[in-house]
Amino acid sequence: MLDKLNEFTESHGELRRGRGLVTGTIAFSLAILCFLGVLAFHFPQYLTTPELRKSYNVDVMRIILLTALVISGGLSLVNIIFNRSRWLSSAAFLLVAASALLGGHKVPVHDFADNTPYIGLDWFILDLLGSSLIFIFIEKLFALRKDQPVFREEWQTDFHHFVVNHMIVGFVLLATNLMVHKLFGWAANDGIRGWVGNLPFWAGLLLIILVADLVQYWTHRAYHEVPVLWRLHAVHHSVKSMDWMAGSRQHILELLITRTLVLAPIYVLGFSKDVIDAYIVVVGFQAVFNHCNVSVRLGPLRYLIVTPNFHHWHHSQDQEALDKNYAAHYAFLDYLFGTAVKSTKLWPEKYGVLGDYVPNGFFKQLKFPFVWKG
């Protein structure tokens, strides 16, 4: 079973229907998340994110966990009975059984210390479950490249980036907050912060996106034009297939630098908590959606806001698209600064770094900026 699982996870391509591979994969994926969820219930002080704990409805979390256990267990049991991908379904069923034996959705949560070191296992589980349910559905509904499977080439590398960047969310938050306060705390002005903090919600949201995107635009442009920064950013551009997982490929140093620079003006200007929370939702959605394998252009709106079409061009190897389309939210910034792609084609032909010199594999890409001789 373990040999087959290793071979399966190291492969790529479309899952052939009628053999229980699709339902088996769903069951196995849910079973892993359920098992991790039960562990998070057992050790919340070490495996959950303090910022998220405050907003949890534990009863809702238990219902989600129970539902996932039932779906995973049911799908795997049906496949086992009908002899469909038994090795995969058996692995899923064993994980469901282990989760149930560890307490399942009924694990009690007692009082615990709130200042312990932690990894963001809860954020990883919720984001992976939510993102896959939403964006894989959208990609199947509005696919740009209809022959591109969910498990396309190099998906494992992007999944490893996804896991690591979510697990160390606590470190990233701590590091960026510390750097923002240390480097930019002097710039905070109570008068400006009071005015910005009291803006109507809609005005504050439009402004925070503009402020963040201006910083994002020039930071992003610097990653392309400054050779030492390109070493980091080339990792992100090395992805050769655009889908909901592609945006996860990002070097941890780039993540820290960019988040610090973007959060700095947000902190200095003093936006309200409601506006910041809404901005986080917007940036979280756009960061995934604009990498998706979806045929979305939005007509004339594409000149105002960043769409998948706009951002796909940024990842293109086509000559007319190199070092173009830097904005993350407002496309008009690239038109304003003269860096918007001008092409007679609707979509780019090929993605990735021109010359294809970035190695595949998470650890190889982690080392790449420091060992590349280019």
Side-chain angles (χ1 to χ4, degrees):
M1 183 189 296
L2 289 177
D3 290 339
K4 285 190 174 182
L5 280 173
N6 285 332
E7 183 182 350
F8 182 63
T9 55
E10 290 172 359
S11 64
H12 65 268
E14 187 175 0
L15 297 177
R16 285 175 289 180
R17 298 182 181 182
R19 299 187 178 186
L21 283 174
V22 175
T23 52
T25 299
I26 293 171
F28 185 64
S29 301
L30 283 177
I32 292 175
L33 294 180
C34 288
F35 185 76
L36 295 177
V38 171
L39 291 181
F41 268 106
H42 274 288
F43 307 103
Q45 66 272 43
Y46 303 114
L47 301 179
T48 63
T49 311
E51 288 77 7
L52 295 178
R53 293 174 200 155
K54 301 168 187 175
S55 58
Y56 284 151
N57 183 317
V58 178
D59 292 332
V60 172
M61 294 295 107
R62 293 188 188 281
I63 292 171
I64 293 173
L65 179 56
L66 175 61
T67 303
L69 283 167
V70 171
I71 293 173
S72 178
L75 289 176
S76 56
L77 192 57
V78 168
N79 280 344
I80 291 170
I81 292 171
F82 288 96
N83 196 23
R84 290 155 43 98
S85 298
R86 275 193 171 181
W87 56 274
L88 183 58
S89 298
S90 296
F93 193 78
L94 286 174
L95 280 171
V96 170
S99 300
L101 289 173
L102 287 172
H105 70 293
K106 295 183 179 180
V107 176
V109 178
H110 304 293
D111 292 335
F112 55 86
D114 203 34
N115 56 353
T116 55
Y118 67 95
I119 59 174
L121 184 60
D122 56 338
W123 176 234
F124 163 72
I125 295 170
L126 293 173
D127 198 22
L128 180 58
L129 182 61
S131 295
S132 57
L133 286 175
I134 295 169
F135 293 108
I136 291 177
F137 175 75
I138 292 175
E139 287 185 338
K140 291 301 180 184
L141 207 59
F142 305 104
L144 171 64
R145 289 171 171 79
K146 294 179 173 58
D147 58 342
Q148 180 174 301
V150 173
F151 297 106
R152 40 78 176 173
E153 287 188 62
E154 299 187 4
W155 72 267
Q156 298 94 336
T157 296
D158 296 316
F159 183 66
H160 292 157
H161 280 282
F162 184 96
V163 172
V164 173
N165 290 344
H166 282 73
M167 290 295 195
I168 62 170
V169 64
F171 167 73
V172 172
L173 288 171
L174 181 64
T176 53
N177 284 335
L178 181 64
M179 286 190 284
V180 165
H181 283 80
K182 289 288 185 183
L183 297 175
F184 303 100
W186 58 271
N189 182 291
D190 290 339
I192 295 175
R193 289 170 66 87
W195 179 79
V196 171
N198 289 319
L199 284 172
F201 174 81
W202 63 269
L205 182 58
L206 292 175
L207 180 60
I208 195 175
I209 295 174
L210 177 60
V211 169
D213 210 17
L214 279 169
V215 176
Q216 182 94 0
Y217 173 90
W218 288 107
T219 303
H220 197 172
R221 189 164 175 174
Y223 278 124
H224 280 253
E225 297 180 359
V226 179
V228 69
L229 293 179
W230 172 250
R231 286 172 170 265
L232 294 173
H233 194 55
V235 170
H236 179 64
H237 271 270
S238 66
V239 68
K240 302 181 185 70
S241 303
M242 295 293 281
D243 67 358
W244 70 279
M245 190 73 77
S248 300
R249 186 179 296 201
Q250 191 172 15
H251 198 280
I252 184 61
L253 283 183
E254 180 185 349
L255 185 66
L256 285 170
I257 293 169
T258 304
R259 287 198 180 182
T260 299
L261 293 176
V262 170
L263 286 176
I266 292 174
Y267 162 72
V268 169
L269 293 173
F271 288 94
S272 68
K273 183 180 182 303
D274 289 344
V275 168
I276 292 175
D277 289 344
Y279 164 72
I280 290 172
V281 172
V282 170
V283 71
F285 178 82
Q286 274 198 292
V288 180
F289 182 62
N290 288 333
H291 289 88
C292 277
N293 177 34
V294 290
S295 182
V296 175
R297 299 181 76 231
L298 298 185
L301 275 179
R302 69 181 183 275
Y303 298 107
L304 179 63
I305 62 175
V306 173
T307 64
N309 176 258
F310 185 93
H311 195 66
H312 275 225
W313 275 109
H314 177 71
H315 279 266
S316 172
Q317 289 191 23
D318 297 19
Q319 284 294 332
E320 66 264 44
L322 297 181
D323 303 327
K324 302 287 185 181
N325 288 14
Y326 293 117
H329 306 293
Y330 288 136
F332 69 79
L333 292 178
D334 278 285
Y335 291 97
L336 179 65
F337 297 124
T339 51
V341 170
K342 297 175 182 177
S343 177
T344 56
K345 296 180 294 186
L346 294 182
W347 293 88
E349 296 175 4
K350 191 176 181 181
Y351 305 111
V353 174
L354 194 62
D356 194 22
Y357 48 81
V358 180
N360 183 37
F362 174 78
F363 290 107
K364 290 180 181 178
Q365 292 179 357
L366 199 62
K367 293 189 302 180
F368 172 77
F370 312 107
V371 299
W372 181 38
K373 304 297 184 182

